[in-house]
Amino acid sequence: MDLTSDLKALLNKTDLQLSDEQVSKLVGYVELLHKWNKAYNLTSVRDPSEMLVKHILDSLVNGPHLNGNSFIDVGTGPGLPGIPLAILYPNKHFVLLDSLGKRVTFLKQVVYQLKLENVTPVQSRVEKYIPEVPFDGVLSRAFASLEDMITWCQHLIDDKGRFYALKGLYPADELNSMPAGIELVDSFTLTVPELEGQRHLIELKKIK
């Protein structure tokens, strides 16, 4: 199995431009995830080739729609979408937040081995994490609903920041029942090569 060739072939089906070094780091991340998954059970996806599609590409395609330089990935799990996006954008900073110690231990190992200077893993519950400065964006592909994401993460951004929710199907019902003070900025239909099913990125903001 040649993960490097496979990843390059997948990237060729997108508009994303990555250097050989970035591809190498993404492959290194998949190899670490595969290795640690056996003991830590970090993801239900067991096959590294599947990880390229379901984790790496599924994270990267959101990148062009993110505005700003500082992001927090809430409920990041094994670092998704934060690690792939941090590799894609070495000049942007990503805090990866998770409440489970074993996941954060794994993330610290990834940061160390791949020399990711723009990633800060943090073990905390989201409601207890208070940033020194508001983030430009809150990322999540883990929250059950937009309402939960907004409720738990309001304190992480100000009115200039954005919520970015990674979703499968377009969440029409959730958008209709959002809390007051939040509005839809944009929604993007994303194409992930070789992935079955729909993918959407929902961008929300606070309104005064």
Side-chain angles (χ1 to χ4, degrees):
M1 173 184 339
D2 184 352
L3 292 176
T4 301
S5 300
D6 291 352
L7 180 53
K8 285 183 174 177
L10 288 166
L11 288 166
N12 283 339
K13 298 176 183 176
T14 72
D15 294 331
L16 298 165
Q17 304 290 323
L18 279 83
S19 68
D20 284 348
E21 184 188 3
Q22 286 171 307
V23 169
S24 172
K25 284 187 175 182
L26 289 167
V27 168
Y29 170 57
V30 167
E31 288 171 347
L32 283 168
L33 187 52
H34 180 59
K35 178 178 157 189
W36 280 60
N37 204 32
K38 292 168 183 147
Y40 274 47
N41 202 22
L42 298 162
T43 167
S44 59
V45 181
R46 301 287 172 197
D47 179 353
S49 296
E50 273 188 63
M51 288 179 189
L52 293 179
V53 174
K54 292 180 176 174
H55 290 335
I56 303 301
L57 266 293
D58 194 43
S59 297
L60 293 177
V61 293
N62 296 277
H65 305 295
L66 305 180
N67 294 305
N69 293 305
S70 67
F71 298 91
I72 182 164
D73 178 8
V74 223
T76 185
L80 299 162
I83 294 279
L85 290 170
I87 292 169
L88 180 62
Y89 298 118
N91 296 324
K92 299 178 191 275
H93 189 262
F94 293 82
V95 169
L96 306 189
L97 194 74
D98 205 277
S99 59
L100 266 191
K102 66 178 184 178
R103 292 179 185 151
V104 175
T105 301
F106 167 70
L107 291 171
K108 286 178 176 171
Q109 189 65 25
V110 170
V111 167
Y112 171 73
Q113 286 198 228
L114 301 183
K115 299 181 173 61
L116 301 180
E117 294 174 2
N118 60 332
V119 175
T120 307
V122 176
Q123 184 182 349
S124 173
R125 294 178 66 83
V126 64
E127 65 271 24
K128 295 208 167 118
Y129 179 76
I130 309 297
E132 290 176 22
V133 182
F135 290 96
D136 295 327
V138 175
L139 302 166
S140 180
R141 81 199 277 250
F143 270 94
S145 69
L146 295 176
E147 186 175 357
D148 284 351
M149 182 185 183
I150 292 159
T151 304
W152 293 110
C153 303
Q154 287 231 34
H155 63 290
L156 300 173
I157 57 171
D158 57 20
D159 54 0
K160 295 188 205 66
R162 297 286 188 265
F163 295 103
Y164 295 100
L166 285 63
K167 291 284 189 178
L169 299 172
Y170 184 78
D173 291 348
E174 291 178 38
L175 287 166
N176 289 334
S177 58
M178 277 195 303
I182 302 290
E183 76 175 15
L184 176 67
V185 177
D186 213 337
S187 69
F188 306 95
T189 304
L190 304 173
T191 304
V192 181
E194 296 185 24
L195 184 73
E196 291 180 16
Q198 296 181 26
R199 282 291 180 269
H200 290 88
L201 177 65
I202 307 299
E203 181 182 348
L204 308 169
K205 71 172 183 180
K206 293 180 176 180
I207 46 175
K208 289 178 176 172

